Amino acid sequence: MYFWQILFLLLAAAVAAYAHLRPQSDIAAKRLRKLMIWFFPYAFITIGLCALFLQPAWVAVVFLLSAAACFILFLKKDIQ
């Protein structure tokens, strides 16, 4: 796994943790949830598909599962 991929995973984890810690009705939390629903999953899918061809399959699986987790968890939280 490349260094920038690890940094991207850490950035996504930090944003996800910060979005979960914010109150549900906060405007910043709503914006962060939208970011976690739309930007991060698509970036994870792009990185995962590129990694599928250039790196071992487990790297692609990590990014594709992260995309699914981000989308499902934050969409569920946004709907509530």
Side-chain angles (χ1 to χ4, degrees):
M1 189 178 289
Y2 296 123
F3 181 71
W4 63 270
Q5 289 173 326
I6 295 170
L7 286 178
F8 189 76
L9 285 172
L10 291 175
L11 174 69
V15 171
Y18 187 69
H20 271 295
L21 292 176
R22 303 287 295 182
Q24 188 79 358
S25 61
D26 189 28
I27 294 173
K30 288 180 183 178
R31 290 183 183 150
L32 288 174
R33 280 195 308 271
K34 294 293 181 193
L35 190 69
M36 293 303 292
I37 292 170
W38 295 107
F39 173 72
F40 279 106
Y42 289 118
F44 279 141
I45 290 170
T46 302
I47 295 170
L49 291 177
C50 291
L52 187 63
F53 296 108
L54 301 172
Q55 293 176 298
W58 66 268
V59 176
V61 169
V62 167
F63 283 100
L64 295 175
L65 288 177
S66 297
C70 278
F71 186 75
I72 291 170
L73 292 174
F74 283 94
L75 184 65
K76 182 179 174 184
K77 189 169 180 130
D78 195 50
I79 290 174
Q80 291 178 352

